[in-house]
Amino acid sequence: MKSVRKPITIDEAIERVVASSTLGDTETILLEKADFRYLAEDIIADHPVPMFDRSMYDGFAVRASDTAQAHPDAPQTLRVTETIAAGEQAKGRLQPGTAMRIMTGAAIPPGADAVLMLEDVREDKDDQGPYIEVTTPVAPGTHISHRGEDMAEGTVLARSGRRIGPGEKAVLATFGYHRVKVYQQPVVAVLATGSELLPVDAPLVPGKIRNSNSYMVESQLRRLGAVPKTLGILADHFEACYHAVTKALEEVDFVITTGGAAVGDYDFVQSLIERLNADLLFNKVAMRPGSVTTVAKKGEKWIFGLSGNPAACFVGVELFVRPVLKRVLGAQALHLPRISATLDVDITTTNSFTRLMRARTEFHNGKAVVQPVGLDKSGIISGLLEANSMLVIPGGKRLNRGEQVQVMWLEEEGMHNESARL
Ligand SMILES: Nc1nc2c(c(=O)[nH]1)N[C@H]1C(S)=C(S)[C@@H](COP(=O)(O)OP(=O)(O)OC[C@H]3O[C@@H](n4cnc5c(N)ncnc54)[C@H](O)[C@@H]3O)O[C@H]1N2
Ligand code: MOO
Ligand SMILES: [Mg+2]
């Protein structure tokens, strides 16, 4: 008889991994390499943006008071004294009764308090030089972007733990971060176990399958910000698995195995953890798929023994590997986002375990509607193609169409929009 494995709830399992997780080390990298990394410092505005009042349009810098009497029947004439290009500053102060030609982004000259767009004035010249005619009064401040209106000096713009994307990069570049301090990316070894597994480029032979878990897991790891280390396929031989895992643990802090997590004759994950003398966090979770998911720690090093069944393996990464790695990465959010959605079908679960169904959530008139995709079996791969979310169904429950359910959101590109029109 095999020893009985005691299931714990998903929440308890997540709490255990989170409680043992720790923040990773930091490094300073070039801004251009910083996409998808997590900030390891707060970004604080050390100067106002913009630094100077600037023109929002190509036009003429004027004194608003000089235009107060302007009327189509009585145009106000202003002498144009100079042209200010972006990047330049006016040679002098704007004198009453004059205007300066100014380009978008150029500094407003001292003395001016408004800008007229090129299209809104009539330009001409006489023997005293160029002048403009203004036919409508302009209010002070018009078409001026004011010093500090975008970002005031001292503002905390982004906190440590924020993922770097286009907006963060724009801000970092604005404040001169040629290099930026980020959390190091954890390296995670991925080992697929199973004597039935063939490399992806091998022709199929009876009874064998191609190793798909390695590719799936490595993709999940990259998506969440870690660096996978591919260790390939291992046959179901205890000694070989033990040596491979031991060696991997010498090289990296995180080892994921797939397969061999259950109770079969060739399932070695449990005995491997015993032999390693690692501390078991859990080896049974009251969920389907992924009930056999096993997590253990050897000192500060992690061993994730994920199920060989692809859907179960996928769930294991998203629920238990993700928060540990996100913590190492310094991320503010450790878990998949959860939303509430309306169930589009009736669902009955017989087992007492919580079901995590691969599902598709779509937004209809702004409301999230969800339905399962693919066969709800742990060994099913195809459902992962269409799934953009996971439907959480508490065990032994009947849920009716129209009920509100919890959905875990898997990816930002899972939603399609056929039209670019707003
Ligand atoms: N008597 C029992 N049998 C099983 C139990 C149980 O509690 N009692 N648990 C079942 C559950 S639940 C799951 S899930 C699976 C877990 O299986 P293992 O983690 O031991 O994985 P394997 O036996 O190695 O393989 C299972 C399945 O997955 C396929 N597989 C494995 N590796 C890959 C890969 N890299 N790429 C694609 N597919 C892979 C493998 O061929 C098997 O079909 O155990 C149940 N059994
Ligand atoms: O872990 Mo299994 O995938 O519960 O069915
Ligand atoms: Mg097995």
Side-chain angles (χ1 to χ4, degrees), residues 145-158:
S145 181
H146 292 282
R147 175 181 163 89
E149 75 172 12
D150 187 356
M151 295 174 265
E153 186 170 351
T155 312
V156 179
L157 299 163

Side-chain angles (χ1 to χ4, degrees), residues 20 103 147 273 278 286 329 411:
S20 312
M103 300 302 124
R147 175 181 163 89
I273 283 163
L329 282 162
E411 52 184 308

Side-chain angles (χ1 to χ4, degrees), residues 7-10 13 282-287 290-293 320 353:
I8 59 170
T9 64
I10 297 179
F282 53 85
N283 63 5
K284 190 86 177 171
V285 186
M287 66 177 196
S291 62
V292 298
T293 307
F320 310 121
F353 286 5

Side-chain angles (χ1 to χ4, degrees), residues 150-333:
D150 187 356
M151 295 174 265
E153 186 170 351
T155 312
V156 179
L157 299 163
R159 292 266 181 213
S160 174
R162 201 181 162 116
R163 200 166 211 185
I164 297 174
E168 290 73 20
K169 286 191 116 174
V171 167
L172 288 161
T174 299
F175 289 99
Y177 284 80
H178 172 52
R179 290 170 183 276
V180 59
K181 194 170 159 196
V182 296
Y183 286 95
Q184 286 179 19
Q185 293 181 285
V187 179
V188 185
V190 180
L191 250 166
T193 71
S195 298
E196 75 280 29
L197 300 178
L198 295 170
V200 70
D201 56 354
L204 283 180
V205 292
K208 307 252 179 191
I209 60 167
R210 293 195 186 98
N211 165 26
S212 59
N213 284 349
S214 293
Y215 294 89
M216 174 185 72
V217 169
E218 287 163 17
S219 175
Q220 287 175 285
L221 292 172
R222 280 190 204 96
R223 183 163 73 178
L224 65 82
V227 177
K229 183 180 167 82
T230 308
L231 296 187
I233 300 169
L234 274 178
D236 290 316
H237 294 302
F238 180 75
E239 288 301 325
C241 291
Y242 176 76
H243 283 114
V245 171
T246 308
K247 187 163 176 284
L249 285 170
E250 283 164 11
E251 290 166 6
V252 297
D253 294 339
F254 307 90
V255 175
I256 292 179
T257 61
T258 84
V263 294
D265 296 348
Y266 307 98
D267 289 340
F268 296 131
V269 167
Q270 308 311 316
S271 31
L272 198 83
I273 283 163
E274 269 173 42
R275 168 97 171 259
L276 282 167
N277 210 9
D279 300 316
L280 189 70
L281 273 72
F282 53 85
N283 63 5
K284 190 86 177 171
V285 186
M287 66 177 196
R288 276 262 129 87
S291 62
V292 298
T293 307
T294 299
V295 180
K297 280 188 87 176
K298 173 85 183 155
E300 288 310 303
K301 309 228 168 184
W302 292 77
I303 304 139
F304 296 93
L306 304 184
S307 165
N309 272 326
C313 180
F314 179 87
V315 169
V317 173
E318 296 301 335
L319 289 192
F320 310 121
V321 178
R322 170 182 285 268
V324 172
L325 298 181
K326 287 288 187 187
R327 166 80 84 219
V328 176
L329 282 162
Q332 283 163 1

